[in-house]
Amino acid sequence: MPATGTLAEYHRRRDFERTREPRGATPAASGGATPVFVVQIHDASTMHFDFRLEADGVLKSWAVPKGPSTDPHDKRFATPTEDHPLEYRSFEGRIPEGEYGAGSVIVWDEGTYRNLTTDRDGREVPFGRALEQGHVSFWLNGHKLHGGWALTRIRQEGRREAWLLVKEADRHARGGGTPSPQRARSALSGRTLRQMAGGAAEEGGR
């Protein structure tokens, strides 16, 4: 099936005969359920966190080099990447050498979120529209991340688009930043990146 909609770039970059990443042929229709989020650690050419929020039938995605911080004073740089299919929220494994994003992936955190973005009159702004306008506020209910957060676009034209991911100052705010990605464990499987890479290598050798 040819790539359509907002997943066209996702499909263009991947050979699904080689990678086990989900194909996600088309964006999913909104079912009215609580939207999901996922934060994956990706040990690619550069170690980073991938922060993804469900909107308009896909996972809107940002690469966050240092990962999300629970300290409101830490403003974390985030670079938008291509939309991913909703099935990607549970993807873990190793993307093979030679493929886009080659390296190990674990789900560091996952859960649901609530849109907190409002206009000047206090009315909720649809999440997809708010993203287009360059600012969203939301409440995360995850295994590790909780409370209010905000994503704000700080650069759009002239150079590569850039956003900031910031924790709101609420009861879930904490100092100390983000744990070391090398020591972090998956919220789904409990495995580390090293264990994920070793398991994938063993499986591939059978």
Side-chain angles (χ1 to χ4, degrees):
M1 179 179 289
T4 59
T6 58
L7 293 178
E9 183 65 13
Y10 174 84
H11 291 154
R12 186 187 69 80
R13 294 184 174 195
R14 290 163 175 83
D15 180 354
F16 294 102
E17 297 298 320
R18 299 194 68 236
T19 180
R20 295 185 178 182
E21 295 168 280
R23 186 180 296 271
T26 59
S30 175
T34 305
V36 301
F37 82 94
V38 64
V39 182
Q40 286 154 315
I41 302 179
H42 190 175
D43 187 11
S45 56
T46 302
M47 180 89 69
H48 64 278
F49 290 69
D50 286 311
F51 191 88
R52 312 189 197 280
L53 296 163
E54 177 183 353
D56 299 332
V58 296
L59 292 173
K60 298 294 183 180
S61 301
W62 294 259
V64 184
K66 294 185 178 181
S69 172
T70 54
D71 186 341
H73 296 97
D74 290 341
K75 296 177 173 59
R76 293 297 169 88
F77 187 80
T79 301
T81 62
E82 74 276 14
D83 295 343
H84 283 53
L86 294 182
E87 297 92 333
Y88 213 93
R89 66 185 182 272
S90 59
F91 173 72
E92 293 190 319
R94 184 168 181 81
I95 302 170
E97 293 298 325
E99 286 299 297
Y100 173 73
S104 298
V105 177
I106 61 171
V107 173
W108 181 71
D109 196 18
E110 56 89 32
T112 61
Y113 78 89
R114 289 188 289 115
N115 181 17
L116 301 180
T117 316
T118 59
D119 62 19
R120 293 180 179 178
D121 296 322
R123 294 172 297 196
E124 181 177 326
V125 179
F127 207 75
R129 184 190 307 167
L131 283 172
E132 291 178 0
Q133 295 172 349
H135 176 79
V136 287
S137 296
F138 46 94
W139 185 277
L140 296 182
N141 293 300
H143 299 277
K144 301 172 184 177
L145 300 179
H146 307 274
W149 297 74
L151 268 166
T152 303
R153 186 166 56 219
I154 59 172
R155 187 175 69 216
Q156 183 175 20
E157 298 179 358
R159 292 185 292 174
R160 191 175 183 184
E161 185 175 338
W163 295 61
L164 289 179
L165 174 65
V166 182
K167 177 74 185 73
E168 300 288 357
D170 56 30
R171 68 183 185 276
H172 298 289
R174 300 286 187 276
T178 305
S180 166
Q182 289 87 353
R183 297 181 179 180
R185 291 189 176 274
S186 164
L188 296 183
S189 65
R191 299 168 79 181
T192 64
L193 284 166
R194 179 177 295 180
Q195 290 170 335
M196 187 64 66
E202 290 175 7
E203 185 176 337
R206 293 175 183 173

